[in-house]
C-alpha cells in the first residue's frame, strides 16, 4: 500500500510539474520551461523527454541542435510515447539529423498511429504535398491524407477538400472539396471551421448569399478565432453583406482587440471615438488606437499623430505628434508622411524645415496620397528651384532605400 501511495504521489507531482512546464512554454518563458522539462526528463518522463527534443529542434531555451533533439525523441519513443515516434519518422523522412530513409520513417509513423497519434499519417501527406525534403507528389499526399482522414484527423479532411477544390493531383471538383471541408469543420478545431467558412465566403461572392458563411464564421469567432471575428466585423460594418449593425460590429471588434489584434484595436478606437454602437468617448478611443500604434500599426501611428496634434482625446503635444508621425512615415504610410510634412512646414514638434517638408510631401505623393499632391503643388509655388531640386533628391533617395513604398 505504501509503495502504491508513493507511486500515486509521484505521478501526481509529475503532472503538476508538467503543467507548470507547459504553462511556461506557452508564455514563451523558454528558460523556465526547459528547466522544468529537463528535471522530469532526467527522471524518465516520456512526455518531458519529447518536449526537450522539441525545444532542441526549435532552438527554444537552448541552441538549435537537431541531433540532440532526435536523441530525446528516441528516448521518448523507447517508452512508446507516440509523438516521439512521429517526430523520429519526420526526421528520417526529411533526413533531418539522421540519414534519410523512407522505410524507417514509415515504420516510426505507423507505430505512432498504432499508439494513437493519427496525425502521423497527416504529416506524411503534408510532406508529400509541400515537397518538404522530398519531391512533391500529390497522389501520395492524397493517399496519406485519406488514411488520416478515415481515422478522424480533421486537418487531413480539410487538406483533401482543398486538393479537390484546387484540382491538385485530381480533377477539380468544388462540390467534393466543399463536402470534405464541411466534414473537417464538423469534427475539427477552430482552424478547420474558419477555413470552411472562407470557402463558403468565396462561393457567396458569386451567389450573394452570405448567411451560411456567416454562420460558420460566427462559430469560429465565438471560439476566439481572431480572423473569424474580423470577418464578422466586415459582415456588420457599413455596406456589409448582412446590413450595418454598429453594435454587432463593435462586439466582434472588441473581442479581437482584447486578443491583441492591432487592426481590431485601431478600428475599435475609431468606433468608440465616433460613437458607433456605443456612446462616443474620445479618451477611450484614443487609448485603443495607441495600443495598436505601440504594436507598430502604421495607420494607428498616423491617427495618433493627428490626435496629439489636435489634442483630441489626449493632451495636446506637438513633439509627441511628430514622434508618432515619424514612426508611421518610416514605415511608408502616406498619411503619416503627409502629416509629417505639415508639421515640418509649421515647425510644430520638429524644427521648421521647408525642404524636409517638401521631401516628405513628395514621398507621400509617390505613395498615392491625393492630398499630398495638392500640398506639393502649393509648396512648389513658394520654393526656389534649388530647394525643390534638393527636396526631390532627398525624396528619391528615401524611396530608393524603401522600395516597399507603394501607392
Amino acid at each position: 500500500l505504501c509503495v502504491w501511495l508513493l507511486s500515486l504521489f509521484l505521478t501526481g507531482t509529475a503532472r503538476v510539474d508538467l503543467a507548470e512546464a507547459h504553462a511556461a512554454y506557452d508564455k514563451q518563458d523558454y528558460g523556465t520551461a526547459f528547466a522544468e522539462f529537463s528535471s522530469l526528463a532526467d527522471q524518465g518522463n516520456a512526455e518531458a523527454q519529447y518536449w526537450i527534443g522539441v525545444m532542441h529542434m526549435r532552438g527554444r531555451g537552448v541552441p538549435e541542435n537537431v541531433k540532440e533533439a532526435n536523441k530525446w525523441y528516441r528516448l521518448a519513443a523507447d517508452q512508446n510515447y507516440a509523438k516521439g515516434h512521429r517526430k523520429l519518422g519526420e526526421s528520417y523522412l526529411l533526413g533531418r539529423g539522421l540519414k534519410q530513409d523512407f522505410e524507417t520513417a514509415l515504420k516510426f509513423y505507423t507505430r505512432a498511429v498504432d499508439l494513437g497519434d493519427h496525425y502521423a499519417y497527416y504529416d506524411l501527406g503534408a510532406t508529400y504535398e509541400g515537397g518538404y525534403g522530398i519531391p512533391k507528389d500529390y497522389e501520395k499526399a492524397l493517399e496519406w491524407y485519406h488514411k488520416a482522414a478515415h481515422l478522424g484527423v480533421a486537418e487531413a479532411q480539410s487538406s483533401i477538400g482543398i486538393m479537390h477544390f484546387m484540382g491538385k493531383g485530381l480533377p477539380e471538383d468544388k462540390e467534393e472539396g466543399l463536402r470534405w471541408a464541411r466534414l473537417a469543420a464538423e469534427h475539427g478545431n477552430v482552424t478547420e471551421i474558419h477555413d470552411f467558412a472562407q470557402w463558403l465566403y468565396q462561393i457567396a461572392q458569386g451567389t450573394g448569399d452570405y448567411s451560411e458563411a456567416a454562420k460558420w464564421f460566427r462559430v469560429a469567432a465565438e471560439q476566439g478565432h481572431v480572423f473569424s471575428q474580423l470577418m464578422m466585423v466586415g459582415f456588420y460594418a457599413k455596406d456589409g453583406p448582412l446590413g450595418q449593425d454598429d453594435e454587432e460590429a463593435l462586439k466582434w471588434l472588441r473581442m479581437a482587440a482584447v486578443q491583441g489584434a492591432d487592426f481590431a484595436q485601431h478600428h475599435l478606437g475609431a468606433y468608440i471615438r465616433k460613437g458607433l454602437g456605443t456612446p462616443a468617448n474620445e479618451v477611450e478611443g484614443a487609448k485603443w488606437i495607441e495600443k495598436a500604434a505601440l504594436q507598430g500599426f502604421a495607420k494607428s501611428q498616423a491617427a495618433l499623430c493627428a490626435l496629439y496634434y489636435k489634442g483630441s482625446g489626449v493632451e495636446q503635444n506637438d513633439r509627441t505628434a511628430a514622434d508618432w508621425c515619424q514612426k508611421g512615415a518610416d514605415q511608408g504610410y502616406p498619411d503619416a508622411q503627409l502629416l509629417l510634412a505639415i508639421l515640418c512646414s509649421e515647425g510644430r514638434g520638429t524644427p521648421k524645415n521647408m525642404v524636409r517638408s517638401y521631401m516628405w510631401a513628395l514621398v507621400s505623393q509617390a505613395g498615392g496620397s491625393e492630398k499630398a499632391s495638392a500640398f506639393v503643388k502649393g509648396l512648389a509655388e513658394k520654393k526656389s528651384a534649388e530647394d525643390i531640386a534638393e527636396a526631390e533628391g532627398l525624396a528619391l533617395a528615401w524611396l530608393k532605400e524603401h522600395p516597399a513604398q507603394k501607392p
Side-chain angles (χ1 to χ4, degrees):
L1 179 62
C2 290
V3 173
W4 178 80
L5 286 173
L6 179 60
S7 173
L8 185 64
F9 172 77
L10 290 174
T11 301
T13 302
R15 286 175 181 166
V16 171
D17 290 342
L18 275 171
E20 292 174 353
H22 282 298
Y25 188 92
D26 291 341
K27 292 176 183 176
Q28 298 184 8
D29 181 1
Y30 298 128
T32 299
F34 188 81
E36 293 278 359
F37 282 131
S38 291
S39 176
L40 291 166
D42 290 340
Q43 296 173 43
N45 184 285
E47 183 177 346
Q49 291 169 342
Y50 163 79
W51 277 99
I52 289 294
V54 170
M55 297 187 79
H56 276 293
M57 186 65 74
R58 298 177 181 173
R60 303 268 173 87
V62 288
E64 184 178 315
N65 189 324
V66 175
K67 289 185 177 180
E68 190 70 9
N70 288 328
K71 183 191 85 172
W72 286 101
Y73 290 151
R74 194 175 295 278
L75 286 171
D78 287 345
Q79 296 193 65
N80 285 328
Y81 189 72
K83 290 181 180 179
H85 283 276
R86 171 153 61 95
K87 286 297 182 181
L88 277 175
E90 189 176 292
S91 291
Y92 275 111
L93 182 67
L94 302 178
R96 195 169 56 191
L98 295 168
K99 184 179 179 181
Q100 193 169 30
D101 185 335
F102 180 80
E103 293 301 322
T104 302
L106 184 58
K107 287 179 182 177
F108 277 107
Y109 275 125
T110 303
R111 181 57 179 153
V113 172
D114 291 341
L115 291 168
D117 187 354
H118 300 161
Y119 283 87
Y121 285 162
Y122 167 73
D123 282 357
L124 270 170
T127 301
Y128 273 113
E129 183 184 1
Y132 304 123
I134 56 176
K136 284 186 180 182
D137 190 324
Y138 292 146
E139 289 186 8
K140 287 186 178 178
L142 278 167
E143 176 187 339
W144 292 109
Y145 280 150
H146 274 286
K147 286 180 181 291
H150 289 304
L151 290 169
V153 178
E155 290 87 343
Q157 294 165 347
S158 180
S159 294
I160 292 170
I162 291 170
M163 295 185 79
H164 276 288
F165 204 79
M166 299 179 67
K168 294 172 71 174
L170 71 181
E172 182 180 307
D173 188 338
K174 296 192 184 307
E175 193 170 313
E176 182 67 5
L178 198 62
R179 186 182 75 81
W180 278 102
R182 183 182 292 276
L183 185 65
E186 290 172 347
H187 299 96
N189 60 31
V190 67
T191 301
E192 278 66 52
I193 295 170
H194 171 79
D195 290 347
F196 178 53
Q198 283 189 307
W199 287 32
L200 292 172
Y201 183 82
Q202 290 181 34
I203 294 169
Q205 288 179 310
T207 65
D209 182 0
Y210 290 87
S211 57
E212 187 71 4
K215 182 184 87 172
W216 285 96
F217 275 126
R218 183 181 292 274
V219 172
E222 287 173 345
Q223 294 184 41
H225 194 281
V226 170
F227 290 112
S228 289
Q229 291 166 348
L230 294 177
M231 289 299 297
M232 294 304 297
V233 174
F235 282 129
Y236 290 108
K238 184 179 179 181
D239 300 323
L242 297 186
Q244 184 171 349
D245 185 332
D246 293 336
E247 288 187 13
E248 192 71 9
L250 184 78
K251 179 185 80 172
W252 295 111
L253 272 175
R254 194 178 294 278
M255 290 178 70
V258 297
Q259 293 192 72
D262 53 12
F263 178 91
Q265 290 171 340
H266 174 85
H267 287 280
L268 176 61
Y271 264 61
I272 293 171
R273 290 190 72 250
K274 294 176 183 177
L276 298 176
T278 185
N281 187 323
E282 290 194 352
V283 173
E284 185 187 354
K287 287 179 179 177
W288 280 107
I289 291 172
E290 185 168 17
K291 287 178 183 291
L294 288 168
Q295 291 197 69
F297 194 60
K299 188 172 185 177
S300 292
Q301 292 171 340
L304 205 56
C305 167
L307 295 182
Y308 275 105
Y309 179 82
K310 300 173 184 176
S312 177
V314 295
E315 186 176 347
Q316 199 283 328
N317 189 311
D318 288 343
R319 178 59 184 274
T320 304
D323 287 345
W324 281 114
C325 272
Q326 187 70 61
K327 291 178 187 296
D330 288 342
Q331 290 198 71
Y333 191 66
D335 287 356
Q337 293 161 345
L338 177 57
L339 286 168
L340 186 57
I342 293 170
L343 290 174
C344 289
S345 71
E346 297 176 352
R348 291 182 60 175
T350 187
K352 186 171 183 176
N353 186 322
M354 299 307 294
V355 170
R356 186 163 173 258
S357 172
Y358 194 62
M359 167 259 182
W360 279 115
L362 287 170
V363 170
S364 178
Q365 182 183 43
S369 171
E370 293 182 5
K371 292 181 180 179
S373 297
F375 190 77
V376 166
K377 184 178 179 181
L379 283 181
E381 294 172 353
K382 304 173 184 177
K383 302 306 296 176
S384 67
E386 291 79 6
D387 285 347
I388 290 174
E390 182 182 356
E392 288 176 344
L394 291 171
L396 286 171
W398 191 94
L399 290 167
K400 186 176 180 179
E401 292 177 5
H402 300 79
Q405 171 92 353
K406 295 178 180 178

